[in-house]
Amino acid sequence: MPTISLAIQKGGAGKTTTAINLAAALQQMGRSVLLVDLDPQANLTHALGLTEADESLTTIYQLLKQEMGGATADLRSIILETQTGLVLAPAGLELADAELELVATYGREQLLQRMLEPLGEAYDYILIDCPPAVGMLTVNALVASDYIIMPLQAEFLPLKGLQSFNKHYQHLQRSLNPNLRLLGLVLSRYDRRKKQHQRVRQILEEDYPGLLFDTAIRTNVALAESQEAGLDIYQFAPQSNGASDYLFLAHELEQRLAAITQAS
């Protein structure tokens, strides 16, 4: 059961879009996937049609509070099936408070890891949508993960965010999770007709050999529209470029994981 964080030190990189639609693509392939929203903006939760206005919604913040207070919290207690059929551990805006509260908590880096342990092998994949910053929530996600996927736009400014985040990842790997591995980089909102996009892709291939996924997620308005509708791309526009691209990415993901397993 690989646990994969979608993470990079840059907002608007396509983390949430990739989390939703990669999970949906894997589901199309018959895999069971749990989505975990660990971003205080709660974009993943909102994009799947849920809001804090639903009084029955219990979020991951409440479980973190239990763990910070010394109680044992079981993530299974908040997992729900969304209107898309995707399975989610939701977040709310109050999760922003956790960044400060975690600082004074003993064993603060391992809280999410402990919350995931009761799941055992219940899912084929766990995908964690991380905040666009390296705070305690992102650290918790990376300590609990086997792999990272870094989505980014094919522009030069996001490259700086990638370089900065990569340093944090390497430090965390050395100090807290030696088994953590960068599975790959995926370009989002990609247009191969643009010279800048071609150049950024070339730089990534040169600077991160073997890490850039062959599949790039093309610019596709249906991806944004599907989130507004609270749906994944396969329910909203199954014939779109976005649906095709994420399915290719899901297959490539499984090929990489199989190659890692064979090599180990």
Side-chain angles (χ1 to χ4, degrees):
M1 181 184 69
T3 298
I4 303 172
S5 279
L6 285 300
I8 195 167
Q9 196 172 340
K10 176 73 171 66
K15 292 188 299 296
T16 299
T17 301
T18 296
I20 293 170
N21 294 300
L22 180 56
L26 289 165
Q27 192 176 68
Q28 293 283 313
M29 295 162 57
R31 312 297 186 253
S32 60
V33 185
L34 170 63
L35 285 164
V36 177
D37 192 351
L38 209 64
D39 187 345
Q41 298 177 81
N43 288 333
L44 176 59
T45 299
H46 298 159
L48 290 173
L50 299 167
T51 69
E52 293 88 342
D54 183 352
E55 295 181 359
S56 65
L57 187 67
T58 304
T59 70
I60 200 163
Y61 174 70
Q62 285 134 304
L63 296 191
L64 284 170
K65 288 285 285 184
Q66 291 178 32
E67 284 283 347
M68 284 187 271
T72 300
D74 186 341
L75 200 70
R76 291 175 296 184
S77 65
I78 67 166
I79 291 171
L80 49 81
E81 184 174 326
T82 68
Q83 62 186 2
T84 68
L86 294 173
V87 180
L88 172 70
L93 300 179
E94 76 277 12
L95 187 57
D97 295 337
E99 287 286 4
L100 290 175
E101 294 169 358
L102 281 166
V103 171
T105 302
Y106 179 75
R108 55 189 177 270
E109 298 93 349
Q110 287 84 24
L111 297 189
L112 180 63
Q113 184 181 50
R114 292 202 296 266
M115 288 159 56
L116 291 175
E117 284 174 357
L119 294 175
E121 298 296 321
Y123 299 93
D124 295 320
Y125 294 93
I126 298 175
L127 301 183
I128 305 174
D129 189 20
C130 296
V134 186
M136 286 309 307
L137 290 171
T138 297
V139 169
N140 262 265
L142 299 186
V143 168
S145 293
D146 305 297
Y147 301 100
I148 307 175
I149 291 177
M150 298 185 190
L152 72 160
Q153 294 182 50
E155 298 173 0
F156 289 107
L157 281 178
L159 282 179
K160 296 185 181 296
L162 169 62
Q163 292 161 356
S164 175
F165 188 84
N166 198 40
K167 291 178 182 177
H168 288 292
Y169 146 66
Q170 291 174 349
H171 175 72
L172 186 143
Q173 183 190 48
R174 289 193 300 270
S175 58
L176 291 171
N177 185 0
N179 297 318
L180 184 64
R181 181 167 183 164
L182 176 56
L183 189 59
L185 315 171
V186 57
L187 286 170
S188 63
R189 301 179 190 175
Y190 184 73
D191 187 343
R192 64 182 179 183
R193 297 168 297 181
K194 294 184 177 180
K195 291 184 178 179
Q196 183 188 53
H197 288 200
Q198 294 175 15
R199 177 59 182 149
V200 168
R201 181 164 195 149
Q202 181 182 1
I203 290 171
L204 290 171
E205 289 172 342
E206 292 171 354
D207 292 352
Y208 301 91
L211 286 173
L212 182 63
F213 281 100
D214 292 334
T215 304
I217 309 303
R218 289 168 285 181
T219 300
N220 183 206
V221 68
L223 288 169
E225 292 174 344
S226 65
Q227 291 186 36
E228 291 177 16
L231 301 172
D232 64 64
I233 194 63
Y234 300 96
Q235 291 188 328
F236 184 80
Q239 303 304 317
S240 65
N241 285 341
S244 174
D245 291 345
Y246 276 108
L247 194 57
F248 277 116
L249 180 63
H251 281 288
E252 193 175 354
L253 165 70
E254 294 214 323
Q255 289 169 4
R256 287 200 180 191
L257 291 172
I260 291 169
T261 301
Q262 290 174 1
S264 61

